[in-house]
Amino acid sequence: MYRSYYRRRPIFLAPAMIILYITLILLAVIYFGGVFFFQDKYLPNTTVGNISCGLKDAKYVEDIVSSQVSRYSLLVTDRKGNQFVIEGKEFDYKYVQLGEEQQILDEQNPFLWPIALFEPNTYTLSQSVSYDEEQLKYITTHLGLFKEDYIAKPVNARIELKKDGYALIPETHGNTPIAEQVVKEILDAVYVTKTQLTLSDACYEVPSIHTSSPAILDAIGTLDKYLNAVVTYNIWDSYEVVFGKEEIMSAIRMDKDFQITLDTAVFDNFVYQKLAKPYNTYADKREFKTTKGDTIIIGGGDYGWVINKAKEATELHNNILAGVPVTREPIWSQTARVGALNDIGNTYIEVDYTNQTLYYYKEGELVLQSKFVSGNMRKNWGSPDGLYEVKYKDTDCTLVGETYESHVDYFIVFAKNIGFHDASWRKSKEFGGKTYLTDGSHGCINMPYNSVKELFSKVSKGTPIIAYYREPVTVPQEYAYSYVKPETTAE
């Protein structure tokens, strides 16, 4: 009988497989060892708050947090850049354990520890401190930034008026603290455990007036407008007088609310001092070279340039208010024939009372010379001397006085109701000489008929008249150069 036998061969593993199995076993041991290890340890790459605590237990985090809290301080920086430190221990700042550290640990999945090797886990802690808030407020309000000698108060922006303009001085903020706001910002910083705080602008008082405030801007607009309104006076095309920026600034007044006004007294004074005083020639004394060749000094009368001070001051004021530069002449209330300080010119009538002779010059040429009889000196009717002009001319008129009534054909008036006229009642030999001393007129200039007729035809209104005596006399007219006020004697 044939019998068959099956014989099992021994199983032999390849070295590679052996290594693989060993590796898997080791990995399993390591993995489950890690799972066991991380039952009470934080996973790798774990951060709680600002503490890196991977592989550490909850107590480790609690100890560090407690240590950090015990050393807590807040560094406060103020507007001046100075720093003040508030120590936590000063207001009983301490750590309160809420179990968050252990709770975070309990909630982690230890089976995921290999993944944590490559993915960080970050956790935050809620507020876990306690402190004395009232004490913190007290400490805050007693910081050095509240000391009186440390505080600089805010200063409003202002406008500084200068000689020829103005300067805008910006506001300064100073460092006057607002206690309520400072306390709030520090309490807020401590609440979120900030360690550094720079106080905001809200912690300080601010100026009430800024460079951009409407009142400031309005005032600057007005000042610029006025300063632009330079007034240039062109006087006789020979002189220039300027009411410029310095003069404008001297008239400007500004109150505490930046309201701008103009002082009218400045305009009045300018018109008088800079215009009327130097350029009014009315009744001024002048040097005059006579026909005989000598030079006399003559004044009085009513001839000459006169600035209308009231109207000119008003117009100047209006010019500045308008804000536009202007070049113009002053407003004259009276003008003379020639625009000059020596305003007689070369066309005029010269009346030499002492020699009882009249000379009419036209453009420097003598065109008429005549004898005359002037006012009676013995009766104190002397004709007025001084500088005058032809006021008007009239014909076929009757001159009426208290004791006389005389018809004349030609009348050339130069001093109120006194003038040159024909005198048919006089003989030709009476003209000239000394007649006027004892038998003169009531004040007018009596002339030969043909002479006054010719003068009437040649002379025009406004022609200057220079009338003078060569010896001291007293005449009754107050506007005359030789008028002397009579002395009065008390009873």
Side-chain angles (χ1 to χ4, degrees), residues 23-287:
T23 300
L24 291 174
I25 292 170
L26 288 174
L27 287 175
V29 171
I30 292 172
Y31 172 74
F32 286 104
V35 171
F36 177 78
F37 178 81
F38 289 111
Q39 292 295 318
D40 59 354
K41 302 291 190 299
Y42 293 106
L43 296 178
N45 282 329
T46 296
T47 302
V48 176
N50 62 349
I51 303 170
S52 177
C53 55
L55 312 181
K56 304 293 184 180
D57 59 12
K59 187 176 185 305
Y60 173 81
V61 175
E62 291 172 356
D63 290 344
I64 292 179
V65 171
S66 180
S67 177
Q68 288 178 341
V69 169
S70 67
R71 298 193 307 272
Y72 175 76
S73 64
L74 177 63
L75 182 64
V76 180
T77 303
D78 73 351
R79 173 174 279 175
K80 295 174 72 174
N82 294 325
Q83 296 180 325
F84 306 87
V85 178
I86 301 176
E87 299 285 352
K89 60 185 178 182
E90 294 180 305
F91 55 97
D92 199 21
Y93 190 87
K94 57 188 177 182
Y95 177 60
V96 177
Q97 292 186 1
L98 301 177
E100 292 178 280
E101 297 85 354
Q102 184 62 46
Q103 183 180 354
I104 292 170
L105 184 58
D106 293 342
E107 291 176 354
Q108 72 179 7
N109 188 347
F111 291 96
L112 299 179
W113 71 265
I115 297 175
L117 292 171
F118 306 100
E119 293 184 2
N121 294 293
T122 303
Y123 301 92
T124 58
L125 294 173
S126 62
Q127 182 79 4
S128 57
V129 296
S130 66
Y131 54 88
D132 187 339
E133 186 173 294
E134 292 303 317
Q135 180 63 15
L136 177 56
K137 291 180 180 178
Y138 176 82
I139 293 170
T140 298
T141 55
H142 286 77
L143 291 174
L145 60 90
F146 285 97
K147 290 184 177 179
E148 186 175 348
D149 58 356
Y150 181 78
I151 294 173
K153 293 183 178 181
V155 179
N156 288 336
R158 67 186 188 278
I159 297 174
E160 184 177 298
L161 301 183
K162 296 182 174 293
K163 186 177 182 181
D164 59 352
Y166 66 91
L168 175 58
I169 311 300
E171 67 276 9
T172 55
H173 290 273
N175 66 325
T176 302
I178 302 173
E180 181 180 353
Q181 184 63 27
V182 173
V183 168
K184 180 182 182 303
E185 292 195 5
I186 289 179
L187 287 178
D188 290 346
V190 171
Y191 183 78
V192 295
T193 65
K194 279 188 176 181
T195 57
Q196 294 186 12
L197 170 67
T198 298
L199 295 176
S200 71
D201 289 341
C203 291
Y204 298 95
E205 292 182 6
V206 296
S208 58
I209 302 295
H210 303 262
T211 53
S212 59
S213 295
I216 287 276
L217 296 179
D218 288 347
I220 288 176
T222 301
L223 288 170
D224 288 340
K225 176 183 176 181
Y226 290 170
L227 286 169
N228 183 55
V230 173
V231 178
T232 303
Y233 292 95
N234 185 358
I235 302 175
W236 308 320
D237 293 327
S238 300
Y239 304 96
E240 184 177 274
V241 179
V242 178
F243 191 85
K245 292 187 176 181
E246 288 190 16
E247 289 74 19
I248 293 171
M249 288 307 301
S250 70
I252 287 175
R253 303 290 179 266
M254 182 174 65
D255 65 17
K256 61 182 179 62
D257 296 320
F258 302 101
Q259 295 298 308
I260 306 295
T261 56
L262 296 172
D263 186 351
T264 57
V266 172
F267 303 115
D268 294 337
N269 185 65
F270 179 86
V271 170
Y272 173 71
Q273 294 290 345
K274 301 298 182 179
L275 297 177
K277 194 172 181 179
Y279 299 107
N280 275 2
T281 61
Y282 177 92
D284 279 354
K285 291 182 179 180
R286 299 164 175 83
E287 287 188 353

Side-chain angles (χ1 to χ4, degrees), residues 15 25 57 122 127 153 241 262 265 308 344 398 407 436 446 456 462 479 490:
I25 292 170
D57 59 12
T122 303
Q127 182 79 4
K153 293 183 178 181
V241 179
L262 296 172
N308 190 318
I344 296 173
T398 300
H407 176 270
Y436 77 104
N446 295 173
F456 189 95
Y479 48 84

Side-chain angles (χ1 to χ4, degrees), residues 186-460:
I186 289 179
L187 287 178
D188 290 346
V190 171
Y191 183 78
V192 295
T193 65
K194 279 188 176 181
T195 57
Q196 294 186 12
L197 170 67
T198 298
L199 295 176
S200 71
D201 289 341
C203 291
Y204 298 95
E205 292 182 6
V206 296
S208 58
I209 302 295
H210 303 262
T211 53
S212 59
S213 295
I216 287 276
L217 296 179
D218 288 347
I220 288 176
T222 301
L223 288 170
D224 288 340
K225 176 183 176 181
Y226 290 170
L227 286 169
N228 183 55
V230 173
V231 178
T232 303
Y233 292 95
N234 185 358
I235 302 175
W236 308 320
D237 293 327
S238 300
Y239 304 96
E240 184 177 274
V241 179
V242 178
F243 191 85
K245 292 187 176 181
E246 288 190 16
E247 289 74 19
I248 293 171
M249 288 307 301
S250 70
I252 287 175
R253 303 290 179 266
M254 182 174 65
D255 65 17
K256 61 182 179 62
D257 296 320
F258 302 101
Q259 295 298 308
I260 306 295
T261 56
L262 296 172
D263 186 351
T264 57
V266 172
F267 303 115
D268 294 337
N269 185 65
F270 179 86
V271 170
Y272 173 71
Q273 294 290 345
K274 301 298 182 179
L275 297 177
K277 194 172 181 179
Y279 299 107
N280 275 2
T281 61
Y282 177 92
D284 279 354
K285 291 182 179 180
R286 299 164 175 83
E287 287 188 353
F288 176 75
K289 188 174 182 179
T290 72
T291 300
K292 291 187 175 295
D294 58 330
T295 298
I296 63 170
I297 301 296
I298 187 66
D302 58 7
Y303 178 77
W305 294 88
V306 181
I307 288 175
N308 190 318
K309 295 190 288 294
K311 287 186 177 180
E312 178 53 47
T314 299
E315 184 65 15
L316 177 57
H317 186 191
N318 291 336
N319 289 154
I320 304 306
L321 289 175
V324 179
V326 175
T327 298
R328 62 178 179 83
E329 286 191 11
I331 298 174
W332 302 99
S333 60
Q334 178 175 306
T335 61
R337 178 63 65 92
V338 176
L341 292 175
N342 186 355
D343 51 8
I344 296 173
N346 58 8
T347 297
Y348 56 86
I349 298 172
E350 177 186 347
V351 181
D352 184 343
Y353 286 128
T354 301
N355 291 301
Q356 294 287 282
T357 304
L358 172 151
Y359 309 92
Y360 173 52
Y361 286 87
K362 185 171 184 179
E363 297 181 359
E365 296 294 329
L366 179 63
V367 296
L368 175 66
Q369 177 175 333
S370 173
K371 297 293 184 179
F372 61 78
V373 176
S374 59
N376 191 322
M377 299 301 292
R378 175 181 291 177
K379 294 184 177 180
N380 195 29
W381 294 343
S383 299
D385 56 351
L387 290 109
Y388 303 90
E389 64 181 11
V390 174
K391 298 292 190 300
Y392 65 91
K393 299 188 298 180
D394 199 5
T395 59
D396 190 21
C397 51
T398 300
L399 308 182
V400 179
E402 293 182 2
T403 59
Y404 67 92
E405 183 174 313
S406 303
H407 176 270
V408 297
D409 287 339
Y410 301 100
F411 191 29
I412 305 169
V413 178
F414 67 89
K416 293 189 177 180
N417 60 345
I418 294 175
F420 309 100
H421 61 77
D422 49 290
S424 58
W425 56 89
R426 289 194 183 276
K427 298 177 181 178
S428 59
K429 66 179 180 179
E430 295 181 32
F431 295 103
K434 304 297 181 180
T435 303
Y436 77 104
L437 294 176
T438 58
D439 192 25
S441 70
H442 290 84
C444 284
I445 312 297
N446 295 173
M447 294 180 62
Y449 187 88
N450 290 335
S451 294
V452 74
K453 178 181 179 181
E454 182 180 357
L455 182 64
F456 189 95
S457 66
K458 294 179 182 297
V459 76
S460 61

